[in-house]
Amino acid sequence: MDKPLCETIRVRVRFSEVDALRMVWHGCYVQYLEDAREAFGRKYGLTYMHIFNSGYVAPIVDLQLQYRQPATIDDVLLIEITCRPVRGGKLIFDYRICKEPDGSLILTASTIQLFMTREGVFEPSSPDFFNEWKEKMSGQANLELLNS
């Protein structure tokens, strides 16, 4: 991947996601990140089922969150996910959560996922299916650059 791959989703904060202080409970942000990863996977052909059917799982081994300001009920949030191009067999995603319509920054985050066989053994090298996916995405990014 030469060019970072991105996706953005919209989420409206539900009543069940706020705490007694009427702020989004901190644990809900982790779910928003998961929703963004699932949307990214659907858009770019790297769904969890594709990974699983290739003989692997991709657990999160590192999660970083930086809260900037609170969100509350009925706020519409834009969750942007960017896949950071890296060498080897891991996925690193960066996230920005902003409030619509003013774009005020709510949270930044990052996750690192490593590949593990379905038997529970970490894969120290990049699995074949992932190398193929990166090659395909590199070609797609180059096509997008040519067409822009």
Side-chain angles (χ1 to χ4, degrees):
M1 289 183 307
D2 302 325
K3 177 181 163 190
L5 305 175
C6 302
E7 174 67 320
T8 301
I9 63 169
R10 295 175 81 235
V11 172
R12 182 176 297 276
V13 176
R14 300 177 312 165
F15 173 76
S16 63
E17 297 169 337
V18 297
D19 60 19
L21 301 175
R22 295 185 293 152
M23 295 187 296
V24 171
W25 178 66
H26 65 278
C28 291
Y29 290 105
V30 176
Q31 181 61 53
Y32 298 158
L33 303 182
E34 181 72 29
D35 294 342
R37 280 192 305 281
E38 288 180 6
F40 178 92
R42 284 188 300 274
K43 181 176 181 178
Y44 292 107
L46 193 63
T47 63
Y48 286 129
M49 288 312 298
H50 176 71
I51 294 169
F52 185 80
N53 291 335
S54 298
Y56 295 89
V57 294
I60 291 177
V61 297
D62 187 63
L63 167 67
Q64 302 290 318
L65 303 171
Q66 297 83 40
Y67 299 95
R68 306 298 184 192
Q69 65 174 306
T72 192
I73 191 166
D74 276 337
D75 282 347
V76 175
L77 305 177
L78 299 174
I79 297 97
E80 178 185 284
I81 180 173
T82 303
C83 186
R84 194 184 309 168
V86 294
R87 293 177 190 232
K90 62 183 168 183
L91 290 165
I92 300 179
F93 290 107
D94 296 310
Y95 309 82
R96 289 176 50 86
I97 298 181
C98 297
K99 197 180 299 185
E100 195 179 58
D102 67 358
S104 57
L105 185 62
I106 301 296
L107 177 135
T108 57
S110 65
T111 56
I112 298 175
Q113 293 170 262
L114 297 179
F115 293 106
M116 178 187 288
T117 66
R118 289 191 285 183
E119 293 75 35
V121 178
F122 276 106
E123 177 63 53
S125 62
S126 188
D128 289 340
F129 84 92
F130 188 58
N131 289 332
E132 292 166 9
W133 178 80
K134 288 195 297 187
E135 184 66 30
K136 179 181 173 186
M137 290 300 104
S138 179
Q140 180 177 322
N142 289 334
L143 281 175
E144 288 174 8
L145 289 172
L146 288 173
N147 292 329
S148 58

